[in-house]
Amino acid sequence: MNRPLPAPRLRVPTHEDALAWHRVFADPEVMEFYGGKPAPLSVYEELTARQRRHDAERGFCLWTILDESDEVLGFTGAQPWLPQWGPAGAIEIGWRLGRAHWGKGYVTAAARETLRRVREAGVPEVVAMVRPGNERSIAVTRRLGMRAAETYPHPTLAEDALCFRLELNRRTDNAA
């Protein structure tokens, strides 16, 4: 990316952010790689509550991304990988952004801040699980300096999930 990145702010998600995430992610295009249809509000209420617990217990979570005018753009952050398949015991970084904000550098800037924060929390390595074909997310992993590591059979899809890894005990030019 040749242009300067924006300077989004990250905050621990509030109860009100559940409604904002629900609204921002109601776009089927945003949800293409997450089931293809919007999730009910209750999913985001549970997710934001869980993230507040993660932040209190671990010092990191999926944070709400805000732009310069405090508009909620989406989320980025890290959390333990919980499914019974995939990289058991890993800390996964992830992001999801409202369609109106794609292509502006928000996710890359916010994910770099995520890496800084989880490194400070003592996390030695992170993974990013990405569905094949999600070229936007694959591009973000590359900008962060992550490497394609392995694939895992997805339990409900007819495709393997891609796992990217990044060691945090060493700095790279991309992860600074």
Side-chain angles (χ1 to χ4, degrees):
M1 199 171 276
N2 295 331
R3 68 182 186 276
L5 292 175
R9 288 186 313 105
L10 304 182
R11 74 167 180 223
V12 176
T14 65
H15 179 71
E16 292 78 22
D17 286 342
L19 186 58
W21 290 4
H22 181 257
R23 178 184 45 77
V24 170
F25 303 146
D27 182 336
E29 221 176 332
V30 171
M31 299 303 291
E32 176 183 2
F33 296 101
Y34 306 98
K37 60 184 179 190
L41 177 59
S42 61
V43 168
Y44 296 110
E45 289 170 335
E46 189 280 328
L47 182 58
T48 56
R50 183 170 6 115
Q51 297 315 310
R52 289 189 294 276
R53 283 192 310 274
H54 284 319
D55 185 71
E57 295 168 1
R58 298 173 180 271
F60 57 86
C61 65
L62 295 177
W63 293 286
T64 296
I65 304 172
L66 302 165
D67 70 5
E68 334 38 71
S69 64
D70 288 338
E71 180 181 354
V72 172
L73 308 181
F75 65 68
T76 189
Q79 62 180 349
W81 177 259
L82 297 177
Q84 297 300 309
W85 64 277
I91 299 297
E92 179 195 28
I93 64 168
W95 43 82
R96 191 178 308 167
L97 198 64
R99 176 70 183 98
H101 311 290
W102 289 2
K104 298 176 183 175
Y106 284 110
V107 165
T108 298
R112 286 181 177 167
E113 176 63 12
T114 292
L115 292 177
R116 186 190 70 74
R117 290 181 182 193
V118 296
R119 184 182 289 117
E120 284 181 0
V123 174
E125 180 184 61
V126 294
V127 300
M129 296 294 291
V130 181
R131 289 203 31 209
N134 189 344
E135 295 304 323
R136 285 181 177 84
S137 282
I138 292 169
V140 172
T141 67
R142 288 187 186 121
R143 286 192 290 273
L144 297 176
M146 301 184 86
R147 64 176 172 76
E150 61 260 343
T151 60
Y152 291 98
H154 195 285
T156 60
L157 302 173
E159 62 187 15
D160 288 345
L162 309 174
C163 181
F164 296 83
R165 292 184 179 270
L166 180 65
E167 292 180 38
L168 297 179
N169 56 358
R170 63 178 178 81
R171 294 186 66 85
T172 67
D173 290 338
N174 293 337

